[in-house]
Amino acid sequence: MICDVCKSREAVVYQPHTGRRLCKECFIDDIRQRVKKEAEKQGLLKANKILLAVSGGKDSLTLADTLASFIDPKRLVAFNIVEGISGYNRKEQAEKLRKYLDDLGIELISTSFKDSVGYTLDEMVSSARAKGLNISACTFCGGFRRKLINDAGRQVKADLVATGHNLDDEAQTVIVNILRGDVKRLVRLGDVPLKLSDKFVLRVKPLRKIYEWETTMYAFLKGFEFQEVECPYISARPTLRAKVRELLYLIEQQKPGSLLRIVEEFDKISELVRQHSPKEELPTCKICGEPTSYGREICKNCELMIQSGLLPQKYLRIS
């Protein structure tokens, strides 16, 4: 089959949501143009310094490669976190990531949960289980990853932090928060970033309109070797997000373009809700001094550490 765009090269990719068959070159250009359109909307083209949260997976490699195609790599700094999960995110994968970023001209800085928090993710989960707590690894991981990424953004004086969340991630987040009735979190979603604390570096998602299968194909066609193993904690204990993901995949299979429509329609609703919602400054945690949710004196991270017995006894009086 011939490419539907250039009409000259052999097609290698079929896009179900557009019905087009694309050659390698036209597919890569399509992804880059869509990322650039979203990046322009989110203010990345005007930013002096952008921190890229990278893991070495297909999404973060696609994020770095697409942004470097239209933004000077000297304005990009990549940040990698080693969570400390046995058999996952290994040292050799981090070295491959560094090599790819070096080739793009992007500086890489890194840390680990062990160095920055004092415990690996495995140790956090183990301590929580020893106390009989039913806390998922994802709860620990998500909170501390966000904290360390924000810390790194402030450290390098970044105007924006860009993450590799793709369209599948974004659609899942919308549905999960609707199911939980978390209106305040829903207001913070959308295509234009919303800043609710001076201590936060604005986070943006340039890949939020790119399907996960597209980031996989992009990385494959570019010749990237990326981590394909799913986090063992997700496999061992499926979360609500994992269940929503499977449901959305069934819907997308039956009606291609459904995930894209969910996100695009939600963006319209989010904008309307924001116009009529108070944008109060987030309160700060009494323990770590970082922003926390409305109505909370202690942030979720510190609360988890206290419950798991991983913070000193003196903090128990505050909680």
Side-chain angles (χ1 to χ4, degrees):
M1 298 291 290
I2 297 300
C3 175
D4 290 328
V5 175
C6 68
K7 310 290 186 183
S8 60
R9 291 181 289 262
E10 188 74 18
V12 296
V13 178
Y14 174 67
Q15 281 183 325
H17 66 286
T18 64
R20 298 188 307 178
R21 291 172 174 79
L22 303 174
C23 66
K24 173 183 175 179
E25 291 80 1
C26 289
F27 174 77
I28 288 173
D29 183 64
D30 174 71
I31 299 299
R32 286 178 172 178
Q33 290 304 316
R34 286 159 58 198
V35 172
K36 184 176 182 180
K37 180 180 178 181
E38 202 66 22
E40 187 170 11
K41 192 185 304 179
Q42 296 172 351
L44 276 88
L45 275 62
K46 296 179 181 178
N48 292 316
K49 181 71 68 73
I50 303 163
L51 185 81
L52 310 183
V54 297
S55 64
K58 63 189 182 314
D59 297 325
S60 57
L61 291 170
T62 299
L63 174 71
D65 193 78
T66 53
L67 291 185
S69 71
F70 57 83
I71 295 175
D72 185 350
K74 292 186 176 63
R75 292 161 53 196
L76 306 175
V77 178
F79 178 58
N80 176 244
I81 302 170
V82 176
E83 298 91 350
I85 304 170
S86 181
Y88 184 74
N89 202 357
R90 297 185 296 273
K91 184 177 179 181
E92 59 267 28
Q93 290 162 337
E95 288 306 312
K96 283 182 182 177
L97 173 62
R98 184 177 296 278
K99 172 67 168 58
Y100 290 137
L101 293 170
D102 281 347
D103 290 345
L104 290 171
I106 299 174
E107 176 189 0
L108 174 67
I109 59 176
S110 61
T111 189
S112 67
F113 277 7
K114 187 71 171 179
D115 291 340
S116 298
V117 182
Y119 304 93
T120 66
L121 182 58
D122 284 347
E123 289 169 343
M124 294 180 201
V125 173
S126 177
S127 184
R129 287 176 178 169
K131 288 191 167 290
L133 300 174
N134 188 30
I135 302 172
S136 75
C138 296
T139 301
F140 281 108
C141 189
F144 281 105
R145 279 185 61 83
R146 285 190 290 272
K147 171 182 163 43
L148 296 184
I149 289 169
N150 192 60
D151 287 347
R154 291 187 305 211
Q155 177 188 330
V156 303
K157 295 181 171 54
D159 302 300
L160 297 167
V161 167
T163 66
H165 291 90
N166 57 50
L167 174 62
D168 300 40
D169 299 324
E170 197 76 343
Q172 291 159 26
T173 298
V174 170
I175 300 302
V176 165
N177 283 299
I178 288 174
L179 292 175
R180 288 175 175 163
D182 196 339
V183 178
K184 289 180 180 178
R185 189 174 295 275
L186 279 168
V187 170
R188 297 209 298 269
L189 295 173
D191 54 351
V192 180
L194 182 64
K195 187 169 185 174
L196 296 175
S197 172
D198 288 338
K199 295 189 175 185
F200 276 145
V201 182
L202 274 178
R203 294 178 66 194
V204 295
K205 305 170 186 176
L207 305 184
R208 67 189 300 272
K209 298 286 181 68
I210 308 297
Y211 281 92
E212 183 173 8
W213 75 262
E214 291 182 302
T215 66
T216 303
M217 184 58 69
Y218 185 98
F220 172 75
L221 292 176
K222 291 291 294 184
F224 298 142
E225 292 181 46
F226 52 88
Q227 178 164 287
E228 299 181 70
V229 179
E230 186 171 57
C231 173
Y233 284 114
I234 294 177
S235 305
R237 182 183 174 184
T239 59
L240 173 60
R241 177 178 286 272
K243 294 170 184 176
V244 167
R245 177 177 64 181
E246 293 308 311
L247 175 62
L248 288 177
Y249 284 165
L250 286 174
I251 295 172
E252 180 70 24
Q253 188 176 21
Q254 293 294 320
K255 197 169 182 61
S258 294
L259 269 63
L260 191 56
R261 282 189 289 274
I262 287 172
V263 172
E264 288 178 339
E265 290 304 313
F266 176 76
D267 285 349
K268 297 175 188 176
I269 296 170
S270 175
E271 182 57 34
L272 291 173
V273 173
R274 286 186 189 189
Q275 290 173 11
H276 300 91
S277 300
K279 300 177 181 63
E280 305 170 38
E281 179 88 1
L282 289 171
T284 54
C285 173
K286 286 188 174 182
I287 293 177
C288 67
E290 293 298 310
T292 185
S293 302
Y294 297 116
R296 294 181 65 106
E297 293 187 339
I298 298 173
C299 71
K300 187 66 175 179
N301 287 341
C302 288
E303 180 185 90
L304 289 171
M305 296 294 272
I306 291 171
Q307 291 174 341
S308 304
L310 299 174
L311 274 185
Q313 189 74 19
K314 64 181 179 178
Y315 291 123
L316 296 178
R317 296 195 303 273
I318 301 176
S319 62

